[in-house]
Amino acid sequence: LALVLLSGALSAHAATQSLTPSVQQAVAPVPVGNTASTLPEAWHKGAFAEIFVRGYRDSNGDGIGDLRGLIQSLDYLQQLGVRGIWLMPVNPSQDRDHGYAVSDYRDIEPAYGTLADFDELLRQAHARGIGVIIDYVINHSAADNPIFLESARSPDSPLRNWYVWKNPGPTGWTIYERNPWEATAHGSYLAQFNKN
């Protein structure tokens, strides 16, 4: 289930205190690490390869492409003249739409590997002058995402405005041949992609 996610912000530190530890972790600022780049200055002006990791190269024989398989292919991509890799979503998801229904924005889909594998991909790609960008799906999430679950918990949730809620839900809407408003005990939310 993909849901419209707004860029809501917690207005006060006190609001976060009412959140469960998993939700606090999901919305806490990420510390800024080393932002220095070893890439050539104009790396982004060259050829890019968009890669759906699941369908690319399988390193462990389980039939699913993974980050280690992509690392094994970096020399080949470099020989092709690729200067950048654009990864389709690599976060854990409900996986009904190629990873776009994100369950956890701060982790890697287990079938693809680990955060350490992702860090290794970045190191190896940069060593070859290849930049990496990811499809970071912030405009919607999965129904099992802790941020959405907190938003749905109550109309008074401090994360309520991170999604589009109406009570009652509007009528007469059709997106992709279905009503995008999903009713709950606490109002209706806009789910413009899938119900399941």
Side-chain angles (χ1 to χ4, degrees), residues 38-160:
T38 59
L39 292 170
E41 187 172 324
W43 71 269
H44 61 284
K45 294 183 179 179
F48 269 69
E50 182 179 13
I51 295 176
F52 178 44
V53 173
R54 178 176 299 276
Y56 193 66
R57 184 172 181 181
D58 175 14
S59 71
N60 60 10
D62 67 358
I64 299 171
D66 50 49
L67 296 174
R68 288 278 164 199
L70 180 52
I71 292 167
Q72 293 169 359
S73 298
L74 288 173
D75 287 336
Y76 170 71
L77 292 168
Q78 183 183 35
Q79 290 168 6
L80 290 176
V82 170
R83 303 273 305 273
I85 298 170
W86 173 7
L87 299 179
M88 290 179 69
V90 293
N91 302 106
S93 75
Q94 286 183 319
D95 203 30
R96 293 184 177 94
D97 60 358
H98 303 299
Y100 285 91
V102 177
S103 298
D104 183 350
Y105 289 102
R106 298 188 180 199
D107 206 352
I108 297 294
E109 170 61 44
Y112 297 172
T114 65
L115 285 168
D117 292 331
F118 185 76
D119 289 342
E120 183 65 16
L121 169 65
L122 293 179
R123 278 191 294 277
Q124 294 290 334
H126 288 188
R128 291 164 175 83
I130 299 172
V132 178
I133 61 172
I134 62 171
D135 224 335
Y136 187 63
V137 189
I138 198 67
N139 65 320
H140 58 276
S141 74
D144 66 355
N145 188 298
I147 299 169
F148 173 72
L149 293 173
E150 168 57 33
S151 177
R153 181 182 57 79
S154 161
D156 298 324
S157 167
L159 303 185
R160 186 66 164 196

Side-chain angles (χ1 to χ4, degrees), residues 147-185:
I147 299 169
F148 173 72
L149 293 173
E150 168 57 33
S151 177
R153 181 182 57 79
S154 161
D156 298 324
S157 167
L159 303 185
R160 186 66 164 196
N161 70 343
W162 285 39
Y163 293 82
V164 179
W165 288 90
K166 299 286 183 189
N167 195 10
T171 59
W173 285 50
T174 302
I175 298 178
Y176 301 123
E177 300 179 9
R178 68 173 202 83
N179 180 357
W181 291 96
E182 298 294 331
T184 74

